Amino acid sequence: MLQVNRRGKAKTVLVAGGAGFVGSHLCDALLGRGDSVICVDSYITGSPDNVRPLTNHPRFRLIETDVCQFLEIEEPLDQIYNLACAASPPQYQADPVHTMMTCVAGTGNLLALAERHGASFLQASTSEVYGDPAEHPQREDYRGNVNCTGPRACYDEGKRAAEALCFDMLRAGRVDARVPRIFNTYGPRMQANDGRIVSNLIVQALSGKPLTIYGSGTQTRSFCYVSDLVSGLTALMDLWPNPGVPVNLGNPGEFTINELAQMIRSMVPSRTGIVHKPLPKDDPQRRRPDIARARELLDWQPTVPLSEGLVYTMEWFANSLASRPRRQATASRSHLNRVASLAAPARG
């Protein structure tokens, strides 16, 4: 459905981090409903390949810059989505100072831009604000169990600070800010080396390598397919009036890492085994969202089961790996037909 702004025209939307995994899917969705999209990305973790098909679209513009730098846009903006931050532990720990500054200074810059334009603002927060939770499942009123000086603090505390900025600006009447807390998300366009558990296991399986599990594998996660997440993000942004509270967005299905690994091994049969490595410091033991608030406020819940979303994701990775030079792609080519045969009935 075509979205219109207060001037009765199609909306102009800025997506910071728009060339990233989730951001690029969001750009697709916004263009698909008739919005004009300005994509801002530094390419620190995003990729030009994710938005290359959009570069000739008449309602799409790409700006390469870091949100930690001052940003001004000449045309009126109706909405700003801030997805600009590395989201996997290896990526955000690679430069923890920059991660923290992206969360704080970058969010501050974008909030200032939203204030100047009178634009609605959505800050992509994270389930990491709950830390290694003592409450299960996690509700939005749970205040978390975060190590504020640990190796994950640059992201955990950075996102908590970004939330504080948003709600202070909202209470002051300066910016119409909304905050979703995003739980583990997966799907096409994930980076093969991003360090996330889904991409790690799929790439290892397609490459014929042992699957790496950190710790015992009994720790749990909840996996939301990217199209479900995007529909939740847009629903929260478009909700009127502003709910004034954070909203969990994730799939409440809960799986152990061992269960995830077995699902992936069943899709790509292999003689390779599983390798266990030490669990990283402060790695959460259980993670599952309570989405009652999203159901009530947004009439939203995920629709893509993990078994189906993994097929789409694995098919994308198989094609992506097969397009690499021959010496890197031999194993993934051998599994491509297997994945395609799994994907065909799932799409029906």
Side-chain angles (χ1 to χ4, degrees):
M1 178 183 294
L2 177 65
Q3 300 288 312
V4 295
N5 59 20
R6 58 188 176 274
R7 299 181 301 277
K9 299 179 181 179
K11 293 179 180 178
T12 299
V13 183
L14 184 144
V15 180
F21 158 48
V22 173
S24 61
H25 285 279
L26 177 61
C27 289
D28 289 344
L30 295 171
L31 290 170
R33 73 181 195 179
D35 293 339
S36 295
V37 174
I38 300 171
C39 171
V40 174
D41 207 291
S42 64
Y43 300 141
I44 292 175
T45 58
S47 170
D49 291 339
N50 289 338
V51 292
R52 200 175 306 281
L54 305 178
T55 52
N56 292 324
H57 195 291
R59 288 184 281 105
F60 180 81
R61 181 154 68 95
L62 181 60
I63 299 174
E64 182 179 354
T65 191
D66 192 320
V67 296
C68 291
Q69 306 301 317
F70 176 81
L71 178 66
E72 187 54 276
I73 302 295
E74 293 182 1
E75 62 260 49
L77 295 174
D78 299 291
Q79 296 179 341
I80 297 174
Y81 289 82
N82 182 21
L83 282 70
C85 187
S88 69
Q91 290 178 331
Y92 65 64
Q93 291 172 357
D95 188 346
V97 173
H98 185 265
T99 296
M100 176 65 82
M101 295 308 294
T102 299
C103 291
V104 179
T107 300
N109 285 339
L110 291 170
L111 282 165
L113 181 65
E115 184 177 19
R116 292 194 296 272
H117 284 261
S120 296
F121 185 88
L122 183 140
Q123 168 65 25
S125 191
T126 172
S127 58
E128 298 292 344
V129 300
Y130 300 123
D132 185 6
E135 176 183 297
H136 190 80
Q138 291 80 58
R139 292 164 40 96
E140 290 90 347
D141 57 5
Y142 175 56
R143 297 185 179 182
N145 176 36
V146 176
N147 179 358
C148 65
T149 60
R152 301 169 71 104
C154 59
Y155 186 71
D156 301 1
E157 295 289 5
K159 288 290 189 176
R160 288 160 71 99
E163 286 196 15
L165 276 173
C166 289
F167 284 108
D168 282 339
M169 294 288 274
L170 176 64
R171 282 187 289 266
R174 295 171 61 181
V175 175
D176 173 26
R178 294 118 189 280
V179 177
R181 289 176 177 166
I182 299 172
F183 283 67
N184 291 63
T185 304
Y186 70 101
R189 301 180 197 164
M190 298 179 78
Q191 293 182 350
N193 60 348
D194 66 5
R196 292 171 171 156
I197 188 62
V198 172
S199 51
N200 277 359
L201 296 181
I202 287 179
V203 170
Q204 288 171 345
L206 291 172
S207 303
K209 298 178 180 178
L211 305 191
T212 301
I213 291 179
Y214 294 91
S216 66
T218 57
Q219 65 270 33
T220 66
R221 295 294 185 269
S222 298
F223 302 101
C224 185
Y225 191 66
V226 65
S227 62
D228 283 331
L229 175 65
V230 167
S231 69
L233 294 176
T234 56
L236 179 55
M237 175 65 97
D238 295 336
L239 180 66
W240 187 259
N242 187 321
V245 290
V247 178
N248 285 341
L249 293 180
N251 193 317
E254 185 179 6
F255 298 86
T256 68
I257 301 304
N258 287 331
E259 289 172 331
L260 175 66
Q262 291 306 319
M263 291 177 71
I264 290 173
R265 292 186 77 188
S266 71
M267 297 169 66
V268 184
S270 172
R271 294 182 179 179
T272 60
I274 291 177
V275 174
H276 287 267
K277 293 187 177 181
L279 194 68
K281 183 176 175 58
D282 298 330
D283 194 67
Q285 288 299 304
R286 300 190 73 184
R287 182 64 59 72
R288 177 188 169 198
D290 182 317
I291 62 169
R293 183 175 286 177
R295 286 193 176 106
E296 178 182 356
L297 294 176
L298 310 178
D299 191 26
W300 176 90
Q301 64 181 8
T303 61
V304 181
L306 180 59
S307 57
E308 182 178 337
L310 283 177
V311 170
Y312 302 149
T313 307
M314 187 170 290
E315 182 185 34
W316 183 86
F317 268 114
N319 282 293
S320 177
L321 293 173
S323 67
R324 295 181 176 184
R326 183 183 300 275
R327 65 180 180 275
Q328 300 179 37
T330 302
S332 60
R333 288 179 192 276
S334 68
H335 294 302
L336 189 53
N337 290 338
R338 165 66 172 161
V339 176
S341 68
L342 286 168
R347 286 203 178 92

